[in-house]
Amino acid sequence: MTNTALPRIGILGGMGPLASAEFVVKLVQATPASCDQQHFPTTLDSSPQIPDRPASIYRGGPDPMPAMTEVIRRLEAAGCALIAMPCNTVHHWYDALAAQTTLPIVHIADAVAARLRVQVPGARRVGVLGGAVTSDMGVYSRRLGDAWEWIYASDHSLQTMVLPAIAAVKAGDLATGRRLFLQAVQEMLEHRPDAIVLGCTEIPVVLTQADVAVPVIDSTEALALHTVATARAMHTADRT
Amino acid sequence: MTNTALPRIGILGGMGPLASAEFVVKLVQATPASCDQQHFPTTLDSSPQIPDRPASIYRGGPDPMPAMTEVIRRLEAAGCALIAMPCNTVHHWYDALAAQTTLPIVHIADAVAARLRVQVPGARRVGVLGGAVTSDMGVYSRRLGDAWEWIYASDHSLQTMVLPAIAAVKAGDLATGRRLFLQAVQEMLEHRPDAIVLGCTEIPVVLTQADVAVPVIDSTEALALHTVATARAMHTADRT
């Protein structure tokens, strides 16, 4: 089959809404294009009413799966050819979501691994700064095994710095979010990581490489690059 | 009818893709919310393959209406309750598009007028820095009449500064885009406007109030604020 139309990228978004919006910006910036028409058609389905993910795991809150499955159904109906989820936590449900659709879903840990290999080829100890689900459920180690030694934030850091920082960014209080994330980075640096993954898409909203003394992998940017690479590969395959 | 669900905001986007992505960021920032769940569900349908709008008017290129109508159909199918179009040029087709759907479409000129009244209440002469279609077809004057005296960029400024600047931003060359837009602003200031509307959503990607000596209305931000206000009014009306 010859198909020269670019594949439509679908985004299961809204967790949180600002991180999803910044992801779309990074997706556009990650695309080599000299005019509008060379950019991938994209559908962002931002559905912030999806039940709180940590609450469903830790506090018996409602299951987010039905609402997330609805989003996937809408992305399929919109003609999407692949799906990206700019939220680390939601990758706890990756296998369950992938089972709901024939569309490929780009995994954020694969995206981060690809960046690690390019940016910090010698890295062995890698810190993952992320939400409670990401560390407790081993979103990175479960997908990537022991290719790297994963370091997660301590419980103290999670409770007093990372989680309040995530909540602050979601509430639009970027200054507080930034201050608390910087403290969590300092604590993580005591474990001497070779690199730190900003493993919650709320973090790169307020923190950049310039703030951290070791190489930083922005999981949002990594996902954008990997999504574009995947879409380009699908397009090339379609044309041959 | 009692309906406490927030209305879904639909975005006819991709013209250009970066401007649309920045619009989603501004939409989130314009929403008063303290957690994910208080944000409006949003569907961005970014369809950069929509035929070139100026080309269709000036050079007999393909009509963009069928592709734009398809986007509207997808936004309806996704459950959107209102539509915003973060592109000034496309408002040349506003009446034709509005006739295609029962959903309200927020008009970018109404959004700018609302900001002008709040930010520069005494303004009479208003410069509109925008693409050829926006000035030639009077996107602002046609909608808003003579409530303000509209000043558009000269042909010379359009051809040598504004249009090359728009193309540069669309191609990701932000530095060139910024330099040329700044030149166009200087030329417009010679006409002594009381305010300048950044009347192409590519402009605020590289230019801010800090760059301009008179009050600036960012049409992207204005559209975000007006869209949120419209969605909130619909939600309140649904609940009473």
Side-chain angles (χ1 to χ4, degrees):
Chain A
M1 190 183 79
T2 301
N3 180 4
T4 55
L6 291 168
R8 179 171 286 268
I9 297 171
I11 304 167
L12 195 170
M15 306 172 281
L18 187 54
S20 291
E22 303 266 13
F23 175 68
V24 185
V25 172
K26 288 174 180 176
L27 200 61
V28 174
Q29 290 170 339
T31 307
S34 59
C35 67
D36 287 2
Q37 284 73 15
Q38 293 174 358
H39 281 271
F40 290 101
T42 302
T43 301
L44 163 67
D45 188 309
S46 183
S47 293
Q49 283 68 41
I50 292 171
D52 188 90
R53 284 67 61 194
S56 80
I57 291 183
Y58 298 113
R59 300 188 292 279
D63 182 2
M65 269 300 289
M68 294 195 292
T69 305
E70 274 179 39
V71 174
I72 288 180
R73 288 289 96 80
R74 285 196 294 268
L75 293 175
E76 290 171 338
C80 295
L82 71 164
I83 293 176
M85 312 189 292
C87 168
N88 285 267
T89 298
V90 86
H91 285 76
H92 172 60
W93 287 270
Y94 179 89
D95 293 338
L97 289 166
Q100 299 287 326
T101 179
T102 58
L103 299 183
I105 305 182
V106 182
H107 197 299
I108 202 163
D110 296 346
V112 164
R115 290 311 298 159
L116 269 174
R117 289 191 194 100
V118 171
Q119 255 177 262
V120 205
R124 293 190 55 195
R125 292 166 62 80
V126 178
V128 177
L129 198 65
V133 176
T134 302
S135 33
D136 289 354
M137 304 300 164
V139 161
Y140 282 80
S141 42
R142 207 176 355 143
R143 179 77 176 181
L144 301 175
D146 50 11
W148 291 273
E149 185 186 336
W150 302 102
I151 303 166
Y152 294 103
S154 70
D155 269 355
H156 174 256
S157 166
L158 257 184
Q159 297 303 327
T160 63
M161 302 170 210
V162 180
L163 300 186
I166 292 173
V169 172
K170 284 181 188 290
D173 181 359
L174 304 188
T176 299
R178 177 175 160 78
R179 183 174 55 77
L180 291 169
F181 279 135
L182 283 172
Q183 288 177 13
V185 164
Q186 283 313 312
E187 202 227 38
M188 188 161 274
L189 285 176
E190 291 169 15
H191 301 279
R192 305 253 165 230
D194 301 315
I196 291 182
V197 175
L198 307 184
C200 169
T201 48
E202 310 292 346
I203 307 176
V205 172
V206 291
L207 218 71
T208 70
Q209 175 65 71
D211 299 308
V212 186
V214 298
V216 154
I217 307 290
D218 165 358
S219 62
T220 309
E221 187 187 25
L223 185 63
L225 289 163
H226 204 58
T227 302
V228 167
T230 305
R232 293 185 80 182
M234 292 174 76
H235 186 225
T236 307
D238 273 351
R239 294 169 75 182
T240 52
Chain B
M1 190 184 79
T2 301
N3 179 6
T4 55
L6 291 168
R8 179 170 287 266
I9 297 171
I11 304 168
L12 195 170
M15 305 171 283
L18 187 54
S20 291
E22 302 269 12
F23 175 68
V24 184
V25 172
K26 287 174 180 175
L27 200 61
V28 173
Q29 290 170 339
T31 308
S34 60
C35 68
D36 288 0
Q37 284 72 16
Q38 292 173 0
H39 281 271
F40 290 101
T42 301
T43 300
L44 163 67
D45 188 309
S46 182
S47 292
Q49 283 68 41
I50 292 170
D52 188 89
R53 285 67 62 196
S56 80
I57 292 183
Y58 298 113
R59 301 187 291 280
D63 182 3
M65 270 300 290
M68 295 196 291
T69 305
E70 275 178 39
V71 174
I72 288 181
R73 288 290 95 79
R74 285 197 295 269
L75 293 174
E76 289 171 339
C80 296
L82 71 163
I83 293 176
M85 312 189 292
C87 168
N88 285 265
T89 298
V90 85
H91 285 76
H92 171 59
W93 286 271
Y94 179 89
D95 292 338
L97 289 166
Q100 299 286 326
T101 179
T102 57
L103 299 182
I105 306 182
V106 182
H107 198 300
I108 201 164
D110 296 346
V112 164
R115 290 311 298 159
L116 270 173
R117 289 190 193 99
V118 171
Q119 255 179 258
V120 204
R124 293 190 56 197
R125 291 166 63 79
V126 178
V128 177
L129 197 65
V133 176
T134 302
S135 32
D136 288 354
M137 305 298 163
V139 161
Y140 282 79
S141 41
R142 206 173 359 143
R143 180 77 175 183
L144 302 174
D146 51 8
W148 291 274
E149 183 186 339
W150 303 102
I151 302 167
Y152 294 103
S154 69
D155 269 354
H156 174 257
S157 165
L158 257 184
Q159 297 304 328
T160 63
M161 303 169 208
V162 180
L163 300 186
I166 293 173
V169 172
K170 284 182 187 291
D173 180 0
L174 304 188
T176 299
R178 178 176 159 78
R179 182 174 54 77
L180 290 169
F181 279 135
L182 284 171
Q183 289 176 13
V185 164
Q186 283 314 312
E187 203 227 37
M188 188 161 272
L189 286 175
E190 291 169 15
H191 299 280
R192 306 253 166 231
D194 300 316
I196 291 182
V197 176
L198 306 184
C200 169
T201 49
E202 310 293 346
I203 308 177
V205 172
V206 291
L207 217 73
T208 69
Q209 175 66 69
D211 299 308
V212 186
V214 299
V216 154
I217 307 291
D218 167 356
S219 61
T220 309
E221 187 186 27
L223 184 64
L225 289 163
H226 204 57
T227 302
V228 167
T230 305
R232 294 185 78 182
M234 290 173 77
H235 186 225
T236 308
D238 273 352
R239 293 169 75 182
T240 51

mmCIF file of all heavy atoms in Angstrom, chain B residues 121-159:
data_model
loop_
_atom_site.group_PDB
_atom_site.id
_atom_site.type_symbol
_atom_site.label_atom_id
_atom_site.label_comp_id
_atom_site.label_asym_id
_atom_site.label_seq_id
_atom_site.Cartn_x
_atom_site.Cartn_y
_atom_site.Cartn_z
ATOM 1 N N PRO B 121 -8.541 51.283 27.566
ATOM 2 C CA PRO B 121 -9.917 51.775 27.400
ATOM 3 C C PRO B 121 -10.015 53.032 26.525
ATOM 4 O O PRO B 121 -11.021 53.235 25.858
ATOM 5 C CB PRO B 121 -10.380 52.027 28.844
ATOM 6 C CG PRO B 121 -9.155 51.966 29.690
ATOM 7 C CD PRO B 121 -8.159 51.136 28.973
ATOM 8 N N GLY B 122 -8.956 53.859 26.507
ATOM 9 C CA GLY B 122 -9.044 55.089 25.728
ATOM 10 C C GLY B 122 -8.596 54.950 24.284
ATOM 11 O O GLY B 122 -8.599 55.940 23.545
ATOM 12 N N ALA B 123 -8.212 53.750 23.876
ATOM 13 C CA ALA B 123 -7.630 53.590 22.538
ATOM 14 C C ALA B 123 -8.614 53.943 21.426
ATOM 15 O O ALA B 123 -9.798 53.609 21.507
ATOM 16 C CB ALA B 123 -7.134 52.158 22.362
ATOM 17 N N ARG B 124 -8.132 54.663 20.396
ATOM 18 C CA ARG B 124 -8.960 54.916 19.208
ATOM 19 C C ARG B 124 -8.298 54.355 17.948
ATOM 20 O O ARG B 124 -8.933 53.703 17.155
ATOM 21 C CB ARG B 124 -9.204 56.416 19.040
ATOM 22 C CG ARG B 124 -10.074 56.989 20.167
ATOM 23 C CD ARG B 124 -10.514 58.392 19.859
ATOM 24 N NE ARG B 124 -11.216 58.490 18.581
ATOM 25 C CZ ARG B 124 -11.411 59.632 17.941
ATOM 26 N NH1 ARG B 124 -10.967 60.769 18.445
ATOM 27 N NH2 ARG B 124 -12.057 59.646 16.776
ATOM 28 N N ARG B 125 -6.986 54.654 17.817
ATOM 29 C CA ARG B 125 -6.251 54.146 16.652
ATOM 30 C C ARG B 125 -5.562 52.847 17.057
ATOM 31 O O ARG B 125 -4.744 52.839 17.980
ATOM 32 C CB ARG B 125 -5.190 55.157 16.204
ATOM 33 C CG ARG B 125 -5.764 56.430 15.602
ATOM 34 C CD ARG B 125 -4.693 57.519 15.509
ATOM 35 N NE ARG B 125 -3.583 57.149 14.613
ATOM 36 C CZ ARG B 125 -3.627 57.214 13.287
ATOM 37 N NH1 ARG B 125 -4.741 57.590 12.695
ATOM 38 N NH2 ARG B 125 -2.574 56.893 12.559
ATOM 39 N N VAL B 126 -5.898 51.767 16.388
ATOM 40 C CA VAL B 126 -5.350 50.464 16.768
ATOM 41 C C VAL B 126 -4.659 49.817 15.564
ATOM 42 O O VAL B 126 -5.276 49.620 14.515
ATOM 43 C CB VAL B 126 -6.457 49.528 17.302
ATOM 44 C CG1 VAL B 126 -5.873 48.154 17.650
ATOM 45 C CG2 VAL B 126 -7.122 50.150 18.528
ATOM 46 N N GLY B 127 -3.385 49.536 15.721
ATOM 47 C CA GLY B 127 -2.641 48.856 14.670
ATOM 48 C C GLY B 127 -2.878 47.364 14.732
ATOM 49 O O GLY B 127 -2.928 46.791 15.818
ATOM 50 N N VAL B 128 -3.046 46.742 13.566
ATOM 51 C CA VAL B 128 -3.170 45.285 13.500
ATOM 52 C C VAL B 128 -1.992 44.754 12.693
ATOM 53 O O VAL B 128 -1.896 44.991 11.493
ATOM 54 C CB VAL B 128 -4.490 44.840 12.832
ATOM 55 C CG1 VAL B 128 -4.531 43.314 12.734
ATOM 56 C CG2 VAL B 128 -5.685 45.360 13.613
ATOM 57 N N LEU B 129 -1.085 44.101 13.395
ATOM 58 C CA LEU B 129 0.064 43.502 12.727
ATOM 59 C C LEU B 129 -0.319 42.065 12.420
ATOM 60 O O LEU B 129 -0.471 41.250 13.342
ATOM 61 C CB LEU B 129 1.266 43.563 13.670
ATOM 62 C CG LEU B 129 2.635 43.376 13.042
ATOM 63 C CD1 LEU B 129 2.940 44.514 12.088
ATOM 64 C CD2 LEU B 129 3.700 43.315 14.134
ATOM 65 N N GLY B 130 -0.522 41.776 11.151
ATOM 66 C CA GLY B 130 -0.977 40.427 10.819
ATOM 67 C C GLY B 130 -0.685 40.096 9.378
ATOM 68 O O GLY B 130 -0.070 40.890 8.656
ATOM 69 N N GLY B 131 -1.141 38.926 8.951
ATOM 70 C CA GLY B 131 -0.884 38.455 7.594
ATOM 71 C C GLY B 131 -1.680 39.243 6.565
ATOM 72 O O GLY B 131 -2.514 40.087 6.904
ATOM 73 N N ALA B 132 -1.417 38.952 5.289
ATOM 74 C CA ALA B 132 -2.031 39.684 4.185
ATOM 75 C C ALA B 132 -3.550 39.556 4.202
ATOM 76 O O ALA B 132 -4.277 40.535 4.023
ATOM 77 C CB ALA B 132 -1.467 39.176 2.853
ATOM 78 N N VAL B 133 -4.047 38.347 4.461
ATOM 79 C CA VAL B 133 -5.494 38.123 4.438
ATOM 80 C C VAL B 133 -6.168 38.954 5.532
ATOM 81 O O VAL B 133 -7.209 39.579 5.325
ATOM 82 C CB VAL B 133 -5.812 36.625 4.633
ATOM 83 C CG1 VAL B 133 -7.313 36.392 4.703
ATOM 84 C CG2 VAL B 133 -5.194 35.794 3.504
ATOM 85 N N THR B 134 -5.548 38.985 6.715
ATOM 86 C CA THR B 134 -6.130 39.700 7.849
ATOM 87 C C THR B 134 -6.315 41.184 7.521
ATOM 88 O O THR B 134 -7.354 41.771 7.844
ATOM 89 C CB THR B 134 -5.231 39.526 9.092
ATOM 90 O OG1 THR B 134 -5.105 38.135 9.356
ATOM 91 C CG2 THR B 134 -5.822 40.221 10.303
ATOM 92 N N SER B 135 -5.337 41.805 6.848
ATOM 93 C CA SER B 135 -5.494 43.223 6.505
ATOM 94 C C SER B 135 -6.338 43.394 5.250
ATOM 95 O O SER B 135 -7.304 44.168 5.254
ATOM 96 C CB SER B 135 -4.133 43.906 6.346
ATOM 97 O OG SER B 135 -3.150 43.044 5.850
ATOM 98 N N ASP B 136 -6.020 42.667 4.166
ATOM 99 C CA ASP B 136 -6.745 42.867 2.901
ATOM 100 C C ASP B 136 -8.235 42.597 3.060
ATOM 101 O O ASP B 136 -9.069 43.288 2.464
ATOM 102 C CB ASP B 136 -6.191 41.920 1.814
ATOM 103 C CG ASP B 136 -4.813 42.338 1.342
ATOM 104 O OD1 ASP B 136 -4.340 43.411 1.769
ATOM 105 O OD2 ASP B 136 -4.194 41.577 0.571
ATOM 106 N N MET B 137 -8.580 41.558 3.824
ATOM 107 C CA MET B 137 -9.986 41.171 3.952
ATOM 108 C C MET B 137 -10.620 41.809 5.191
ATOM 109 O O MET B 137 -11.785 41.562 5.480
ATOM 110 C CB MET B 137 -10.116 39.642 4.030
ATOM 111 C CG MET B 137 -9.468 38.918 2.854
ATOM 112 S SD MET B 137 -10.240 39.360 1.276
ATOM 113 C CE MET B 137 -8.987 38.789 0.109
ATOM 114 N N GLY B 138 -9.847 42.609 5.916
ATOM 115 C CA GLY B 138 -10.409 43.345 7.040
ATOM 116 C C GLY B 138 -11.040 42.464 8.092
ATOM 117 O O GLY B 138 -12.181 42.687 8.507
ATOM 118 N N VAL B 139 -10.320 41.437 8.531
ATOM 119 C CA VAL B 139 -10.860 40.495 9.514
ATOM 120 C C VAL B 139 -11.363 41.239 10.757
ATOM 121 O O VAL B 139 -12.424 40.915 11.300
ATOM 122 C CB VAL B 139 -9.807 39.422 9.879
ATOM 123 C CG1 VAL B 139 -10.140 38.735 11.197
ATOM 124 C CG2 VAL B 139 -9.685 38.391 8.755
ATOM 125 N N TYR B 140 -10.634 42.278 11.179
ATOM 126 C CA TYR B 140 -11.041 43.023 12.380
ATOM 127 C C TYR B 140 -12.128 44.051 12.088
ATOM 128 O O TYR B 140 -13.116 44.142 12.809
ATOM 129 C CB TYR B 140 -9.821 43.670 13.036
ATOM 130 C CG TYR B 140 -9.025 42.662 13.827
ATOM 131 C CD1 TYR B 140 -8.148 41.778 13.203
ATOM 132 C CD2 TYR B 140 -9.206 42.546 15.196
ATOM 133 C CE1 TYR B 140 -7.451 40.815 13.917
ATOM 134 C CE2 TYR B 140 -8.520 41.587 15.926
ATOM 135 C CZ TYR B 140 -7.638 40.731 15.279
ATOM 136 O OH TYR B 140 -6.975 39.787 16.003
ATOM 137 N N SER B 141 -11.945 44.838 11.005
ATOM 138 C CA SER B 141 -12.919 45.895 10.725
ATOM 139 C C SER B 141 -14.272 45.301 10.318
ATOM 140 O O SER B 141 -15.324 45.848 10.676
ATOM 141 C CB SER B 141 -12.382 46.834 9.647
ATOM 142 O OG SER B 141 -11.739 46.117 8.618
ATOM 143 N N ARG B 142 -14.240 44.172 9.617
ATOM 144 C CA ARG B 142 -15.501 43.568 9.178
ATOM 145 C C ARG B 142 -16.327 43.125 10.381
ATOM 146 O O ARG B 142 -17.548 43.253 10.418
ATOM 147 C CB ARG B 142 -15.205 42.354 8.271
ATOM 148 C CG ARG B 142 -16.329 42.072 7.322
ATOM 149 C CD ARG B 142 -16.098 40.996 6.262
ATOM 150 N NE ARG B 142 -14.816 40.333 6.220
ATOM 151 C CZ ARG B 142 -14.693 39.035 5.932
ATOM 152 N NH1 ARG B 142 -15.757 38.290 5.726
ATOM 153 N NH2 ARG B 142 -13.503 38.474 5.854
ATOM 154 N N ARG B 143 -15.636 42.611 11.417
ATOM 155 C CA ARG B 143 -16.356 42.112 12.602
ATOM 156 C C ARG B 143 -16.710 43.241 13.558
ATOM 157 O O ARG B 143 -17.785 43.237 14.164
ATOM 158 C CB ARG B 143 -15.468 41.080 13.331
ATOM 159 C CG ARG B 143 -16.086 40.488 14.584
ATOM 160 C CD ARG B 143 -17.124 39.439 14.263
ATOM 161 N NE ARG B 143 -17.658 38.777 15.449
ATOM 162 C CZ ARG B 143 -18.530 37.787 15.417
ATOM 163 N NH1 ARG B 143 -18.986 37.337 14.258
ATOM 164 N NH2 ARG B 143 -18.977 37.246 16.524
ATOM 165 N N LEU B 144 -15.784 44.190 13.732
ATOM 166 C CA LEU B 144 -15.927 45.184 14.808
ATOM 167 C C LEU B 144 -16.343 46.560 14.294
ATOM 168 O O LEU B 144 -16.572 47.467 15.092
ATOM 169 C CB LEU B 144 -14.616 45.287 15.597
ATOM 170 C CG LEU B 144 -14.125 43.966 16.222
ATOM 171 C CD1 LEU B 144 -12.753 44.150 16.838
ATOM 172 C CD2 LEU B 144 -15.119 43.459 17.268
ATOM 173 N N GLY B 145 -16.453 46.732 12.974
ATOM 174 C CA GLY B 145 -16.884 48.007 12.409
ATOM 175 C C GLY B 145 -15.914 49.115 12.775
ATOM 176 O O GLY B 145 -14.714 48.901 12.883
ATOM 177 N N ASP B 146 -16.446 50.325 13.001
ATOM 178 C CA ASP B 146 -15.569 51.461 13.248
ATOM 179 C C ASP B 146 -15.510 51.848 14.728
ATOM 180 O O ASP B 146 -15.322 53.006 15.071
ATOM 181 C CB ASP B 146 -15.960 52.653 12.364
ATOM 182 C CG ASP B 146 -17.452 52.943 12.486
ATOM 183 O OD1 ASP B 146 -18.110 52.330 13.353
ATOM 184 O OD2 ASP B 146 -17.951 53.773 11.713
ATOM 185 N N ALA B 147 -15.685 50.866 15.606
ATOM 186 C CA ALA B 147 -15.515 51.129 17.041
ATOM 187 C C ALA B 147 -14.082 51.606 17.298
ATOM 188 O O ALA B 147 -13.820 52.356 18.229
ATOM 189 C CB ALA B 147 -15.802 49.860 17.848
ATOM 190 N N TRP B 148 -13.167 51.133 16.455
ATOM 191 C CA TRP B 148 -11.788 51.624 16.492
ATOM 192 C C TRP B 148 -11.361 51.960 15.066
ATOM 193 O O TRP B 148 -11.941 51.448 14.102
ATOM 194 C CB TRP B 148 -10.840 50.561 17.074
ATOM 195 C CG TRP B 148 -11.029 50.296 18.531
ATOM 196 C CD1 TRP B 148 -10.456 50.980 19.561
ATOM 197 C CD2 TRP B 148 -11.829 49.272 19.134
ATOM 198 N NE1 TRP B 148 -10.866 50.460 20.770
ATOM 199 C CE2 TRP B 148 -11.712 49.400 20.538
ATOM 200 C CE3 TRP B 148 -12.658 48.266 18.639
ATOM 201 C CZ2 TRP B 148 -12.368 48.566 21.435
ATOM 202 C CZ3 TRP B 148 -13.316 47.433 19.526
ATOM 203 C CH2 TRP B 148 -13.168 47.582 20.907
ATOM 204 N N GLU B 149 -10.320 52.825 14.972
ATOM 205 C CA GLU B 149 -9.748 53.107 13.653
ATOM 206 C C GLU B 149 -8.620 52.118 13.428
ATOM 207 O O GLU B 149 -7.637 52.133 14.173
ATOM 208 C CB GLU B 149 -9.225 54.555 13.638
ATOM 209 C CG GLU B 149 -8.666 54.990 12.302
ATOM 210 C CD GLU B 149 -8.037 56.380 12.409
ATOM 211 O OE1 GLU B 149 -8.379 57.126 13.354
ATOM 212 O OE2 GLU B 149 -7.189 56.706 11.564
ATOM 213 N N TRP B 150 -8.755 51.250 12.450
ATOM 214 C CA TRP B 150 -7.795 50.161 12.253
ATOM 215 C C TRP B 150 -6.656 50.577 11.331
ATOM 216 O O TRP B 150 -6.877 51.123 10.257
ATOM 217 C CB TRP B 150 -8.501 48.927 11.674
ATOM 218 C CG TRP B 150 -9.625 48.479 12.558
ATOM 219 C CD1 TRP B 150 -10.953 48.698 12.354
ATOM 220 C CD2 TRP B 150 -9.513 47.786 13.811
ATOM 221 N NE1 TRP B 150 -11.689 48.185 13.409
ATOM 222 C CE2 TRP B 150 -10.823 47.617 14.311
ATOM 223 C CE3 TRP B 150 -8.451 47.301 14.560
ATOM 224 C CZ2 TRP B 150 -11.092 46.987 15.521
ATOM 225 C CZ3 TRP B 150 -8.711 46.668 15.754
ATOM 226 C CH2 TRP B 150 -10.020 46.516 16.230
ATOM 227 N N ILE B 151 -5.453 50.329 11.770
ATOM 228 C CA ILE B 151 -4.265 50.604 10.961
ATOM 229 C C ILE B 151 -3.607 49.274 10.625
ATOM 230 O O ILE B 151 -3.333 48.473 11.527
ATOM 231 C CB ILE B 151 -3.253 51.471 11.752
ATOM 232 C CG1 ILE B 151 -3.920 52.779 12.187
ATOM 233 C CG2 ILE B 151 -2.003 51.729 10.931
ATOM 234 C CD1 ILE B 151 -3.116 53.539 13.219
ATOM 235 N N TYR B 152 -3.404 49.048 9.340
ATOM 236 C CA TYR B 152 -2.754 47.797 8.924
ATOM 237 C C TYR B 152 -1.336 48.098 8.432
ATOM 238 O O TYR B 152 -1.001 49.240 8.118
ATOM 239 C CB TYR B 152 -3.575 47.108 7.837
ATOM 240 C CG TYR B 152 -4.929 46.615 8.332
ATOM 241 C CD1 TYR B 152 -6.100 47.303 8.027
ATOM 242 C CD2 TYR B 152 -5.024 45.470 9.107
ATOM 243 C CE1 TYR B 152 -7.343 46.847 8.495
ATOM 244 C CE2 TYR B 152 -6.254 45.008 9.568
ATOM 245 C CZ TYR B 152 -7.407 45.700 9.265
ATOM 246 O OH TYR B 152 -8.624 45.257 9.719
ATOM 247 N N ALA B 153 -0.505 47.087 8.385
ATOM 248 C CA ALA B 153 0.855 47.247 7.876
ATOM 249 C C ALA B 153 0.805 47.649 6.397
ATOM 250 O O ALA B 153 -0.100 47.253 5.666
ATOM 251 C CB ALA B 153 1.631 45.936 8.046
ATOM 252 N N SER B 154 1.770 48.465 5.971
ATOM 253 C CA SER B 154 1.850 48.855 4.554
ATOM 254 C C SER B 154 2.195 47.630 3.715
ATOM 255 O O SER B 154 2.689 46.621 4.233
ATOM 256 C CB SER B 154 2.926 49.916 4.370
ATOM 257 O OG SER B 154 4.208 49.320 4.593
ATOM 258 N N ASP B 155 1.937 47.739 2.411
ATOM 259 C CA ASP B 155 2.302 46.640 1.502
ATOM 260 C C ASP B 155 3.788 46.321 1.613
ATOM 261 O O ASP B 155 4.179 45.150 1.639
ATOM 262 C CB ASP B 155 1.983 47.017 0.048
ATOM 263 C CG ASP B 155 0.573 46.574 -0.325
ATOM 264 O OD1 ASP B 155 -0.069 45.892 0.504
ATOM 265 O OD2 ASP B 155 0.122 46.922 -1.427
ATOM 266 N N HIS B 156 4.604 47.390 1.674
ATOM 267 C CA HIS B 156 6.053 47.190 1.766
ATOM 268 C C HIS B 156 6.415 46.408 3.027
ATOM 269 O O HIS B 156 7.191 45.449 2.997
ATOM 270 C CB HIS B 156 6.765 48.544 1.754
ATOM 271 C CG HIS B 156 8.238 48.436 1.984
ATOM 272 N ND1 HIS B 156 8.826 48.750 3.205
ATOM 273 C CD2 HIS B 156 9.229 48.022 1.182
ATOM 274 C CE1 HIS B 156 10.127 48.526 3.118
ATOM 275 N NE2 HIS B 156 10.404 48.103 1.906
ATOM 276 N N SER B 157 5.811 46.796 4.155
ATOM 277 C CA SER B 157 6.078 46.111 5.421
ATOM 278 C C SER B 157 5.608 44.661 5.339
ATOM 279 O O SER B 157 6.289 43.732 5.792
ATOM 280 C CB SER B 157 5.375 46.865 6.556
ATOM 281 O OG SER B 157 5.325 46.075 7.719
ATOM 282 N N LEU B 158 4.414 44.457 4.757
ATOM 283 C CA LEU B 158 3.883 43.088 4.627
ATOM 284 C C LEU B 158 4.847 42.198 3.853
ATOM 285 O O LEU B 158 5.204 41.108 4.301
ATOM 286 C CB LEU B 158 2.553 43.119 3.865
ATOM 287 C CG LEU B 158 1.252 42.985 4.636
ATOM 288 C CD1 LEU B 158 0.083 42.945 3.668
ATOM 289 C CD2 LEU B 158 1.238 41.735 5.522
ATOM 290 N N GLN B 159 5.258 42.701 2.672
ATOM 291 C CA GLN B 159 6.047 41.856 1.767
ATOM 292 C C GLN B 159 7.467 41.624 2.263
ATOM 293 O O GLN B 159 8.016 40.542 2.082
ATOM 294 C CB GLN B 159 6.090 42.490 0.353
ATOM 295 C CG GLN B 159 4.721 42.600 -0.322
ATOM 296 C CD GLN B 159 3.986 41.266 -0.434
ATOM 297 O OE1 GLN B 159 4.629 40.210 -0.578
ATOM 298 N NE2 GLN B 159 2.669 41.281 -0.314
#
